[in-house]
Amino acid sequence: MRLGLRRGEFHLLYQPQMSADGKRIVAVEALARWRHPELGSVGPIDFVGVAEREGMIAPLGEFLLRQACHDGKGWPEVAVSVNLSGLQLSSADFPDVVKSIAAEQGFALDRLELEITESAVADNFDRVTGNMAALRAAGVRFALDDYGLGRARPEDLRRLPLDKVKIDKSVVAEIESERSTSIIRGLLALAREIGLKVSAEGVETEAQHAFLRECGCNIMQGYLFSRPVEAQAISGLLAQEPQ
Ligand code: C2E
Ligand code: CA
Ligand code: CA
């Protein structure tokens, strides 16, 4: 992995996040890939855990954040969202690392969004929320990922310094079930009350889009709009948008 990082085998794809009507790209999410010389394209599910165990997540995370800021400079009209591992978020120097990478790349911190999971926070609550507060004071926004999948509860949304919550694709996939409907409606009511934006991932069908839009979901992401694509393709999609 260390060698792969040095050889430039890691890169990012970007998936558009759309306005509620599905017409405009408002942000892009950076999703990591490893072009492995023998295994071909390896997804993050298969290497993020390894990177964490082998002490590689800090250098890998920094490399990916630098790449996202670099690519994002070419898309001044949209925000760039980057996924974090809990290990990154709980390291004492994380706010300074983010600020210095963004400054070095000339990327404004108010266009950067960081996606975290509940488990990332649970392991080291005070340190993580302290780092989040420091970065938010500098303009960075935070989204809670995978809502409805894991352990995140409504109370977590009240006690964490967040700007947005993302409904997990497993909830969207079962949107016709009573469980999903009640998660989505409950979340949107709470989000309205405490001033959080809500986005949905894994939107694959018109019916899912229509339901989420009707419930008041602000941002839509999924194969219905676009798969994760290379940076160049994002530039192309943005160029095609009506001004
Ligand atoms: P996630 O953050 O929940 O990302 C959503 C995953 O769903 C992505 O998988 C994406 O490609 C996929 N997806 C997007 N739209 C659809 C859809 O309409 N239907 C379906 N079935 N899937 C869709 P991916 O790229 O394999 O990433 C998996 C996970 O790996 C991510 O889940 C995230 O937790 C983690 N990850 C990705 N990039 C990074 C990174 O740079 N750093 C860290 N620490 N984790 C990352
Ligand atoms: Ca994510
Ligand atoms: Ca998810």
Side-chain angles (χ1 to χ4, degrees):
M1 187 169 254
R2 202 173 301 276
L3 195 61
L5 189 55
R6 221 183 299 139
R7 285 182 180 157
E9 291 169 7
F10 288 89
H11 72 130
L12 290 168
L13 297 181
Y14 295 90
Q15 187 176 34
Q17 300 184 340
M18 313 301 291
S19 53
D21 62 9
K23 292 192 175 140
R24 241 171 356 96
I25 300 176
V26 293
V28 292
E29 178 177 4
L31 294 160
R33 297 290 181 269
W34 182 2
R35 283 192 208 99
H36 194 281
E38 283 128 45
L39 304 175
S41 181
V42 181
I45 307 278
D46 296 313
F47 66 74
V48 168
V50 180
E52 288 177 339
R53 283 192 298 279
E54 295 191 352
M56 285 296 291
I57 198 71
L60 178 63
E62 287 171 29
F63 170 81
L64 294 170
L65 180 64
R66 183 171 288 111
Q67 187 66 47
C69 290
H70 173 83
D71 293 338
K73 245 189 328 180
W75 312 317
E77 58 274 45
V78 303
V80 176
S81 203
V82 175
N83 291 282
L84 294 182
S85 141
L87 286 181
Q88 288 174 277
L89 204 55
S90 55
S91 111
D93 64 354
F94 185 67
D96 289 337
V97 167
V98 173
K99 288 182 202 171
S100 71
I101 289 175
E104 158 208 306
Q105 294 297 320
F107 186 82
L109 286 172
D110 62 4
R111 283 211 292 127
L112 180 65
E113 183 171 280
L114 298 175
E115 300 194 2
I116 64 163
T117 57
E118 191 277 337
S119 58
V121 186
D123 296 343
N124 211 334
F125 186 83
D126 291 339
R127 171 68 66 72
V128 167
T129 51
N131 280 348
M132 289 171 73
L135 284 166
R136 282 181 94 219
V140 177
R141 278 161 297 162
F142 280 88
L144 184 72
D145 218 344
D146 297 344
Y147 190 83
L149 174 72
R151 297 181 297 166
R153 293 152 305 168
E155 307 89 88
D156 295 318
L157 302 182
R158 292 186 189 270
R159 66 191 183 120
L160 293 173
L162 293 170
D163 302 280
K164 193 202 266 183
V165 50
K166 294 186 76 174
I167 302 170
D168 189 65
K169 59 177 181 281
S170 61
V171 177
V172 174
E174 295 185 3
I175 214 151
E176 264 136 55
S177 72
E178 221 163 286
R179 178 177 175 269
S180 281
T181 316
S182 76
I183 290 176
I184 293 168
R185 291 206 192 277
L187 173 61
L188 277 146
L190 175 60
R192 251 191 300 274
E193 181 196 325
I194 59 181
L196 287 180
K197 285 199 167 180
V198 176
S199 70
E201 68 172 25
V203 182
E204 295 184 353
T205 68
E206 294 288 357
Q208 290 166 349
H209 178 205
F211 179 78
L212 289 159
R213 192 180 176 188
E214 181 230 317
C215 290
C217 196
N218 310 99
I219 294 153
M220 311 283 169
Q221 180 178 1
Y223 297 164
L224 178 63
F225 310 102
S226 170
R227 293 202 167 238
V229 295
E230 301 286 341
Q232 265 182 334
I234 293 292
S235 305
L237 289 171
L238 287 170
Q240 281 166 25
E241 287 198 337
Q243 292 307 303

